[in-house]
Amino acid sequence: MSSNGELRAPFQANGHDKQLQRTQSELVSGRRTGTKWERSQLFFSVHFAPLSVPLHRRLQTLMVLTHTLSIALFLGTFFLLCTIPLFWPLLFPYTIYLLLSPAPHSGQLSHRSSFLRSLPIWSLFSSYFPARLHRSARLEPTRKYIFGYHPHGIISHGAFAAFATEALGFQQLFPGITNTLLTLDSNFRIPFYRDWALAMGLASVSRESCENILSKGGPNNEGMGRAITIVVGGARESLDAQPHTLRLVLKRRKGFVKLAIRTGADLVPVLAFGENDLYDQVTSDSHPLIHKWQLLVKKWVGFTIPLFHARGVFNYDVGLMPYRKPMNIVTGRPIKVVQQTKGGKMDDGYVDEVHALYVAELERIWEEWRERFDVDPKMELRIAE
């Protein structure tokens, strides 16, 4: 306000000041450098194993790596020898023998090597996780048995440690019983790996093989004192192998029950706590198209390929080596089975009854031992399909 009482307009900036204010208000920044590297480091951060890892742990890793890659190693060795003409006179008859040999399903177990199954290296393999075998009840060596292993997991490391080697003390827990772990018949068409598997006491999971094993050997050559281990869920169940979950493909799986009734073998449920925690894999919910493709592969060729990952040889975050998670393999109480007369029609009601008893024993193992083995309280046993 002036001295004569007139109101004056506020101070008006000159043209230069107006231009400066407009420039500051319209200031636009470019991208901040390094943000992608920061995000990628956070997302793909890899923790490497220290150089001071004890020797025994390095040997454990070596054994698990060798077992995981065994098929690729034997197959690669065979093809390498095929490139050397000097070995052709040996490889040609061996290939014919490989295709025609009845050893994987004859039930004779003539290639089985107790020495190989008892080597100390399998203790290194089993202590990697570590794995341990537990018995709920004694098994009489005057009976024959079918062990049903659950869950399948990605590679069934627990089944191999417990039933294909003596590292976990199978003969100590079940004296007088000769157990045979069963796998796909196609595995016995892989050069060199076939001989390795037979020496470790593995056999084909075909019906012929199962019946031959359970009907030969023992005091009266009727299979008494023999047992087979079947991973009941198979390749389909491997697609559901996720950490902190236990979904068993079992509801409609009754072939092993019918096998038990035909052969008079008692059923022994086996539940492996921790088998599903060894790997991560792509889930069907987040990638439904991949899951459909996996199911188609299984339908066409009889097995499927889970897209899994875990840790590496020299790091803890990226690779195909299993995590070091404890596995506790619990064998249940035997379910007595009455053998059906050969040639008679099988009673479907009895099949359902035995199957229900089998599922109930699995559920008992789960409820009784889940707290002891520190299972996630939110985790539930689901019986599917």
PDB file of all heavy atoms in Angstrom, residues 42-70:
ATOM      1  N   LEU A  42      19.705 -59.381  -6.576  1.00  0.00           N
ATOM      2  CA  LEU A  42      18.809 -59.804  -5.511  1.00  0.00           C
ATOM      3  C   LEU A  42      18.092 -61.086  -5.896  1.00  0.00           C
ATOM      4  O   LEU A  42      17.911 -61.993  -5.080  1.00  0.00           O
ATOM      5  CB  LEU A  42      17.795 -58.690  -5.225  1.00  0.00           C
ATOM      6  CG  LEU A  42      16.739 -58.982  -4.150  1.00  0.00           C
ATOM      7  CD1 LEU A  42      17.409 -59.164  -2.802  1.00  0.00           C
ATOM      8  CD2 LEU A  42      15.716 -57.853  -4.092  1.00  0.00           C
ATOM      9  N   PHE A  43      17.695 -61.181  -7.181  1.00  0.00           N
ATOM     10  CA  PHE A  43      16.880 -62.320  -7.617  1.00  0.00           C
ATOM     11  C   PHE A  43      17.735 -63.547  -7.905  1.00  0.00           C
ATOM     12  O   PHE A  43      17.349 -64.672  -7.612  1.00  0.00           O
ATOM     13  CB  PHE A  43      16.088 -61.928  -8.863  1.00  0.00           C
ATOM     14  CG  PHE A  43      15.114 -62.961  -9.294  1.00  0.00           C
ATOM     15  CD1 PHE A  43      13.912 -63.120  -8.613  1.00  0.00           C
ATOM     16  CD2 PHE A  43      15.394 -63.798 -10.360  1.00  0.00           C
ATOM     17  CE1 PHE A  43      12.997 -64.093  -9.020  1.00  0.00           C
ATOM     18  CE2 PHE A  43      14.485 -64.766 -10.776  1.00  0.00           C
ATOM     19  CZ  PHE A  43      13.296 -64.902 -10.094  1.00  0.00           C
ATOM     20  N   PHE A  44      18.899 -63.340  -8.511  1.00  0.00           N
ATOM     21  CA  PHE A  44      19.751 -64.457  -8.890  1.00  0.00           C
ATOM     22  C   PHE A  44      20.981 -64.596  -7.992  1.00  0.00           C
ATOM     23  O   PHE A  44      21.999 -65.113  -8.427  1.00  0.00           O
ATOM     24  CB  PHE A  44      20.208 -64.293 -10.347  1.00  0.00           C
ATOM     25  CG  PHE A  44      19.091 -64.330 -11.337  1.00  0.00           C
ATOM     26  CD1 PHE A  44      18.654 -63.180 -11.975  1.00  0.00           C
ATOM     27  CD2 PHE A  44      18.468 -65.519 -11.624  1.00  0.00           C
ATOM     28  CE1 PHE A  44      17.633 -63.231 -12.895  1.00  0.00           C
ATOM     29  CE2 PHE A  44      17.441 -65.580 -12.548  1.00  0.00           C
ATOM     30  CZ  PHE A  44      17.019 -64.433 -13.188  1.00  0.00           C
ATOM     31  N   SER A  45      20.882 -64.127  -6.790  1.00  0.00           N
ATOM     32  CA  SER A  45      22.035 -64.198  -5.887  1.00  0.00           C
ATOM     33  C   SER A  45      22.403 -65.658  -5.654  1.00  0.00           C
ATOM     34  O   SER A  45      21.554 -66.501  -5.390  1.00  0.00           O
ATOM     35  CB  SER A  45      21.719 -63.523  -4.563  1.00  0.00           C
ATOM     36  OG  SER A  45      20.604 -64.128  -3.946  1.00  0.00           O
ATOM     37  N   VAL A  46      23.659 -65.966  -5.784  1.00  0.00           N
ATOM     38  CA  VAL A  46      24.165 -67.321  -5.631  1.00  0.00           C
ATOM     39  C   VAL A  46      25.154 -67.336  -4.473  1.00  0.00           C
ATOM     40  O   VAL A  46      26.086 -66.532  -4.439  1.00  0.00           O
ATOM     41  CB  VAL A  46      24.850 -67.810  -6.926  1.00  0.00           C
ATOM     42  CG1 VAL A  46      25.445 -69.192  -6.723  1.00  0.00           C
ATOM     43  CG2 VAL A  46      23.848 -67.819  -8.072  1.00  0.00           C
ATOM     44  N   HIS A  47      24.931 -68.258  -3.551  1.00  0.00           N
ATOM     45  CA  HIS A  47      25.827 -68.404  -2.413  1.00  0.00           C
ATOM     46  C   HIS A  47      26.743 -69.598  -2.673  1.00  0.00           C
ATOM     47  O   HIS A  47      26.269 -70.738  -2.749  1.00  0.00           O
ATOM     48  CB  HIS A  47      25.027 -68.623  -1.128  1.00  0.00           C
ATOM     49  CG  HIS A  47      24.086 -67.503  -0.807  1.00  0.00           C
ATOM     50  ND1 HIS A  47      22.802 -67.442  -1.306  1.00  0.00           N
ATOM     51  CD2 HIS A  47      24.245 -66.385  -0.053  1.00  0.00           C
ATOM     52  CE1 HIS A  47      22.205 -66.350  -0.870  1.00  0.00           C
ATOM     53  NE2 HIS A  47      23.057 -65.688  -0.110  1.00  0.00           N
ATOM     54  N   PHE A  48      28.023 -69.327  -2.824  1.00  0.00           N
ATOM     55  CA  PHE A  48      28.983 -70.367  -3.137  1.00  0.00           C
ATOM     56  C   PHE A  48      29.478 -71.050  -1.872  1.00  0.00           C
ATOM     57  O   PHE A  48      29.566 -70.431  -0.809  1.00  0.00           O
ATOM     58  CB  PHE A  48      30.162 -69.783  -3.909  1.00  0.00           C
ATOM     59  CG  PHE A  48      29.808 -69.390  -5.323  1.00  0.00           C
ATOM     60  CD1 PHE A  48      29.415 -68.098  -5.621  1.00  0.00           C
ATOM     61  CD2 PHE A  48      29.848 -70.341  -6.341  1.00  0.00           C
ATOM     62  CE1 PHE A  48      29.076 -67.740  -6.905  1.00  0.00           C
ATOM     63  CE2 PHE A  48      29.513 -69.986  -7.632  1.00  0.00           C
ATOM     64  CZ  PHE A  48      29.127 -68.689  -7.919  1.00  0.00           C
ATOM     65  N   ALA A  49      29.791 -72.330  -2.028  1.00  0.00           N
ATOM     66  CA  ALA A  49      30.309 -73.103  -0.899  1.00  0.00           C
ATOM     67  C   ALA A  49      31.716 -72.622  -0.567  1.00  0.00           C
ATOM     68  O   ALA A  49      32.508 -72.334  -1.475  1.00  0.00           O
ATOM     69  CB  ALA A  49      30.320 -74.585  -1.247  1.00  0.00           C
ATOM     70  N   PRO A  50      32.053 -72.546   0.704  1.00  0.00           N
ATOM     71  CA  PRO A  50      33.413 -72.107   1.076  1.00  0.00           C
ATOM     72  C   PRO A  50      34.451 -73.160   0.714  1.00  0.00           C
ATOM     73  O   PRO A  50      34.137 -74.352   0.549  1.00  0.00           O
ATOM     74  CB  PRO A  50      33.311 -71.926   2.594  1.00  0.00           C
ATOM     75  CG  PRO A  50      32.195 -72.833   3.010  1.00  0.00           C
ATOM     76  CD  PRO A  50      31.212 -72.818   1.874  1.00  0.00           C
ATOM     77  N   LEU A  51      35.679 -72.700   0.588  1.00  0.00           N
ATOM     78  CA  LEU A  51      36.771 -73.620   0.256  1.00  0.00           C
ATOM     79  C   LEU A  51      37.110 -74.553   1.404  1.00  0.00           C
ATOM     80  O   LEU A  51      37.743 -75.586   1.203  1.00  0.00           O
ATOM     81  CB  LEU A  51      38.015 -72.808  -0.140  1.00  0.00           C
ATOM     82  CG  LEU A  51      37.879 -71.952  -1.406  1.00  0.00           C
ATOM     83  CD1 LEU A  51      39.158 -71.155  -1.633  1.00  0.00           C
ATOM     84  CD2 LEU A  51      37.571 -72.818  -2.617  1.00  0.00           C
ATOM     85  N   SER A  52      36.686 -74.203   2.604  1.00  0.00           N
ATOM     86  CA  SER A  52      37.046 -74.981   3.790  1.00  0.00           C
ATOM     87  C   SER A  52      36.050 -76.089   4.110  1.00  0.00           C
ATOM     88  O   SER A  52      35.982 -76.562   5.241  1.00  0.00           O
ATOM     89  CB  SER A  52      37.154 -74.045   5.001  1.00  0.00           C
ATOM     90  OG  SER A  52      35.927 -73.357   5.225  1.00  0.00           O
ATOM     91  N   VAL A  53      35.250 -76.516   3.129  1.00  0.00           N
ATOM     92  CA  VAL A  53      34.301 -77.609   3.351  1.00  0.00           C
ATOM     93  C   VAL A  53      35.076 -78.879   3.695  1.00  0.00           C
ATOM     94  O   VAL A  53      36.031 -79.234   3.001  1.00  0.00           O
ATOM     95  CB  VAL A  53      33.434 -77.825   2.092  1.00  0.00           C
ATOM     96  CG1 VAL A  53      32.580 -79.084   2.258  1.00  0.00           C
ATOM     97  CG2 VAL A  53      32.555 -76.624   1.842  1.00  0.00           C
ATOM     98  N   PRO A  54      34.681 -79.598   4.764  1.00  0.00           N
ATOM     99  CA  PRO A  54      35.403 -80.822   5.144  1.00  0.00           C
ATOM    100  C   PRO A  54      35.414 -81.858   4.028  1.00  0.00           C
ATOM    101  O   PRO A  54      34.490 -81.929   3.206  1.00  0.00           O
ATOM    102  CB  PRO A  54      34.621 -81.325   6.364  1.00  0.00           C
ATOM    103  CG  PRO A  54      33.927 -80.128   6.911  1.00  0.00           C
ATOM    104  CD  PRO A  54      33.615 -79.261   5.723  1.00  0.00           C
ATOM    105  N   LEU A  55      36.440 -82.689   4.021  1.00  0.00           N
ATOM    106  CA  LEU A  55      36.613 -83.676   2.956  1.00  0.00           C
ATOM    107  C   LEU A  55      35.438 -84.634   2.878  1.00  0.00           C
ATOM    108  O   LEU A  55      34.984 -84.986   1.776  1.00  0.00           O
ATOM    109  CB  LEU A  55      37.909 -84.446   3.180  1.00  0.00           C
ATOM    110  CG  LEU A  55      38.200 -85.578   2.170  1.00  0.00           C
ATOM    111  CD1 LEU A  55      38.309 -85.019   0.759  1.00  0.00           C
ATOM    112  CD2 LEU A  55      39.462 -86.339   2.562  1.00  0.00           C
ATOM    113  N   HIS A  56      34.923 -85.071   4.030  1.00  0.00           N
ATOM    114  CA  HIS A  56      33.850 -86.065   3.992  1.00  0.00           C
ATOM    115  C   HIS A  56      32.584 -85.501   3.343  1.00  0.00           C
ATOM    116  O   HIS A  56      31.839 -86.222   2.684  1.00  0.00           O
ATOM    117  CB  HIS A  56      33.550 -86.602   5.396  1.00  0.00           C
ATOM    118  CG  HIS A  56      32.814 -85.648   6.282  1.00  0.00           C
ATOM    119  ND1 HIS A  56      33.454 -84.650   6.999  1.00  0.00           N
ATOM    120  CD2 HIS A  56      31.490 -85.515   6.567  1.00  0.00           C
ATOM    121  CE1 HIS A  56      32.558 -83.961   7.684  1.00  0.00           C
ATOM    122  NE2 HIS A  56      31.367 -84.461   7.444  1.00  0.00           N
ATOM    123  N   ARG A  57      32.356 -84.191   3.494  1.00  0.00           N
ATOM    124  CA  ARG A  57      31.191 -83.588   2.842  1.00  0.00           C
ATOM    125  C   ARG A  57      31.399 -83.486   1.330  1.00  0.00           C
ATOM    126  O   ARG A  57      30.453 -83.640   0.549  1.00  0.00           O
ATOM    127  CB  ARG A  57      30.907 -82.209   3.439  1.00  0.00           C
ATOM    128  CG  ARG A  57      30.358 -82.283   4.862  1.00  0.00           C
ATOM    129  CD  ARG A  57      30.119 -80.906   5.440  1.00  0.00           C
ATOM    130  NE  ARG A  57      29.041 -80.191   4.770  1.00  0.00           N
ATOM    131  CZ  ARG A  57      27.757 -80.288   5.095  1.00  0.00           C
ATOM    132  NH1 ARG A  57      27.375 -81.101   6.062  1.00  0.00           N
ATOM    133  NH2 ARG A  57      26.839 -79.583   4.459  1.00  0.00           N
ATOM    134  N   ARG A  58      32.610 -83.242   0.915  1.00  0.00           N
ATOM    135  CA  ARG A  58      32.897 -83.227  -0.522  1.00  0.00           C
ATOM    136  C   ARG A  58      32.719 -84.630  -1.122  1.00  0.00           C
ATOM    137  O   ARG A  58      32.215 -84.783  -2.242  1.00  0.00           O
ATOM    138  CB  ARG A  58      34.307 -82.728  -0.772  1.00  0.00           C
ATOM    139  CG  ARG A  58      34.518 -81.261  -0.395  1.00  0.00           C
ATOM    140  CD  ARG A  58      35.856 -80.750  -0.889  1.00  0.00           C
ATOM    141  NE  ARG A  58      36.090 -79.367  -0.496  1.00  0.00           N
ATOM    142  CZ  ARG A  58      35.637 -78.310  -1.160  1.00  0.00           C
ATOM    143  NH1 ARG A  58      34.909 -78.482  -2.241  1.00  0.00           N
ATOM    144  NH2 ARG A  58      35.913 -77.089  -0.738  1.00  0.00           N
ATOM    145  N   LEU A  59      33.106 -85.656  -0.365  1.00  0.00           N
ATOM    146  CA  LEU A  59      32.924 -87.027  -0.841  1.00  0.00           C
ATOM    147  C   LEU A  59      31.436 -87.395  -0.901  1.00  0.00           C
ATOM    148  O   LEU A  59      31.001 -88.115  -1.803  1.00  0.00           O
ATOM    149  CB  LEU A  59      33.684 -88.000   0.064  1.00  0.00           C
ATOM    150  CG  LEU A  59      35.214 -87.891   0.030  1.00  0.00           C
ATOM    151  CD1 LEU A  59      35.842 -88.829   1.045  1.00  0.00           C
ATOM    152  CD2 LEU A  59      35.746 -88.195  -1.367  1.00  0.00           C
ATOM    153  N   GLN A  60      30.665 -86.906   0.061  1.00  0.00           N
ATOM    154  CA  GLN A  60      29.219 -87.127   0.028  1.00  0.00           C
ATOM    155  C   GLN A  60      28.617 -86.526  -1.244  1.00  0.00           C
ATOM    156  O   GLN A  60      27.819 -87.164  -1.937  1.00  0.00           O
ATOM    157  CB  GLN A  60      28.573 -86.496   1.257  1.00  0.00           C
ATOM    158  CG  GLN A  60      28.888 -87.192   2.565  1.00  0.00           C
ATOM    159  CD  GLN A  60      28.431 -86.381   3.769  1.00  0.00           C
ATOM    160  OE1 GLN A  60      27.968 -85.240   3.633  1.00  0.00           O
ATOM    161  NE2 GLN A  60      28.573 -86.952   4.952  1.00  0.00           N
ATOM    162  N   THR A  61      29.021 -85.300  -1.539  1.00  0.00           N
ATOM    163  CA  THR A  61      28.519 -84.630  -2.743  1.00  0.00           C
ATOM    164  C   THR A  61      28.920 -85.399  -4.000  1.00  0.00           C
ATOM    165  O   THR A  61      28.117 -85.550  -4.931  1.00  0.00           O
ATOM    166  CB  THR A  61      29.056 -83.199  -2.810  1.00  0.00           C
ATOM    167  OG1 THR A  61      28.656 -82.481  -1.636  1.00  0.00           O
ATOM    168  CG2 THR A  61      28.541 -82.465  -4.039  1.00  0.00           C
ATOM    169  N   LEU A  62      30.139 -85.902  -4.028  1.00  0.00           N
ATOM    170  CA  LEU A  62      30.620 -86.659  -5.185  1.00  0.00           C
ATOM    171  C   LEU A  62      29.791 -87.920  -5.402  1.00  0.00           C
ATOM    172  O   LEU A  62      29.427 -88.251  -6.541  1.00  0.00           O
ATOM    173  CB  LEU A  62      32.095 -87.023  -4.998  1.00  0.00           C
ATOM    174  CG  LEU A  62      32.718 -87.896  -6.091  1.00  0.00           C
ATOM    175  CD1 LEU A  62      32.691 -87.170  -7.435  1.00  0.00           C
ATOM    176  CD2 LEU A  62      34.143 -88.294  -5.713  1.00  0.00           C
ATOM    177  N   MET A  63      29.450 -88.621  -4.323  1.00  0.00           N
ATOM    178  CA  MET A  63      28.674 -89.858  -4.462  1.00  0.00           C
ATOM    179  C   MET A  63      27.259 -89.579  -4.961  1.00  0.00           C
ATOM    180  O   MET A  63      26.737 -90.299  -5.825  1.00  0.00           O
ATOM    181  CB  MET A  63      28.615 -90.586  -3.120  1.00  0.00           C
ATOM    182  CG  MET A  63      29.831 -91.444  -2.830  1.00  0.00           C
ATOM    183  SD  MET A  63      30.226 -92.574  -4.186  1.00  0.00           S
ATOM    184  CE  MET A  63      28.671 -93.437  -4.411  1.00  0.00           C
ATOM    185  N   VAL A  64      26.628 -88.543  -4.423  1.00  0.00           N
ATOM    186  CA  VAL A  64      25.274 -88.206  -4.863  1.00  0.00           C
ATOM    187  C   VAL A  64      25.296 -87.738  -6.316  1.00  0.00           C
ATOM    188  O   VAL A  64      24.409 -88.094  -7.108  1.00  0.00           O
ATOM    189  CB  VAL A  64      24.652 -87.131  -3.946  1.00  0.00           C
ATOM    190  CG1 VAL A  64      23.310 -86.659  -4.481  1.00  0.00           C
ATOM    191  CG2 VAL A  64      24.489 -87.678  -2.540  1.00  0.00           C
ATOM    192  N   LEU A  65      26.294 -86.966  -6.683  1.00  0.00           N
ATOM    193  CA  LEU A  65      26.423 -86.513  -8.066  1.00  0.00           C
ATOM    194  C   LEU A  65      26.609 -87.693  -9.010  1.00  0.00           C
ATOM    195  O   LEU A  65      25.984 -87.767 -10.078  1.00  0.00           O
ATOM    196  CB  LEU A  65      27.596 -85.541  -8.188  1.00  0.00           C
ATOM    197  CG  LEU A  65      27.905 -85.025  -9.597  1.00  0.00           C
ATOM    198  CD1 LEU A  65      26.758 -84.168 -10.113  1.00  0.00           C
ATOM    199  CD2 LEU A  65      29.208 -84.218  -9.598  1.00  0.00           C
ATOM    200  N   THR A  66      27.454 -88.640  -8.624  1.00  0.00           N
ATOM    201  CA  THR A  66      27.709 -89.820  -9.460  1.00  0.00           C
ATOM    202  C   THR A  66      26.439 -90.643  -9.642  1.00  0.00           C
ATOM    203  O   THR A  66      26.121 -91.091 -10.757  1.00  0.00           O
ATOM    204  CB  THR A  66      28.809 -90.686  -8.826  1.00  0.00           C
ATOM    205  OG1 THR A  66      30.001 -89.903  -8.663  1.00  0.00           O
ATOM    206  CG2 THR A  66      29.118 -91.889  -9.707  1.00  0.00           C
ATOM    207  N   HIS A  67      25.695 -90.832  -8.549  1.00  0.00           N
ATOM    208  CA  HIS A  67      24.447 -91.601  -8.650  1.00  0.00           C
ATOM    209  C   HIS A  67      23.407 -90.871  -9.514  1.00  0.00           C
ATOM    210  O   HIS A  67      22.734 -91.498 -10.347  1.00  0.00           O
ATOM    211  CB  HIS A  67      23.874 -91.841  -7.256  1.00  0.00           C
ATOM    212  CG  HIS A  67      22.500 -92.436  -7.263  1.00  0.00           C
ATOM    213  ND1 HIS A  67      22.258 -93.719  -7.689  1.00  0.00           N
ATOM    214  CD2 HIS A  67      21.289 -91.917  -6.913  1.00  0.00           C
ATOM    215  CE1 HIS A  67      20.953 -93.975  -7.599  1.00  0.00           C
ATOM    216  NE2 HIS A  67      20.347 -92.901  -7.147  1.00  0.00           N
ATOM    217  N   THR A  68      23.304 -89.566  -9.344  1.00  0.00           N
ATOM    218  CA  THR A  68      22.325 -88.787 -10.102  1.00  0.00           C
ATOM    219  C   THR A  68      22.615 -88.833 -11.596  1.00  0.00           C
ATOM    220  O   THR A  68      21.689 -88.886 -12.421  1.00  0.00           O
ATOM    221  CB  THR A  68      22.305 -87.333  -9.612  1.00  0.00           C
ATOM    222  OG1 THR A  68      22.040 -87.308  -8.200  1.00  0.00           O
ATOM    223  CG2 THR A  68      21.251 -86.518 -10.330  1.00  0.00           C
ATOM    224  N   LEU A  69      23.899 -88.833 -11.950  1.00  0.00           N
ATOM    225  CA  LEU A  69      24.298 -88.815 -13.366  1.00  0.00           C
ATOM    226  C   LEU A  69      24.661 -90.193 -13.893  1.00  0.00           C
ATOM    227  O   LEU A  69      25.226 -90.297 -14.991  1.00  0.00           O
ATOM    228  CB  LEU A  69      25.498 -87.870 -13.550  1.00  0.00           C
ATOM    229  CG  LEU A  69      25.286 -86.404 -13.172  1.00  0.00           C
ATOM    230  CD1 LEU A  69      26.586 -85.627 -13.367  1.00  0.00           C
ATOM    231  CD2 LEU A  69      24.172 -85.785 -14.004  1.00  0.00           C
ATOM    232  N   SER A  70      24.347 -91.255 -13.148  1.00  0.00           N
ATOM    233  CA  SER A  70      24.826 -92.591 -13.506  1.00  0.00           C
ATOM    234  C   SER A  70      24.349 -93.032 -14.892  1.00  0.00           C
ATOM    235  O   SER A  70      25.133 -93.589 -15.677  1.00  0.00           O
ATOM    236  CB  SER A  70      24.396 -93.610 -12.443  1.00  0.00           C
ATOM    237  OG  SER A  70      22.987 -93.587 -12.277  1.00  0.00           O
TER     238      SER A  70
END
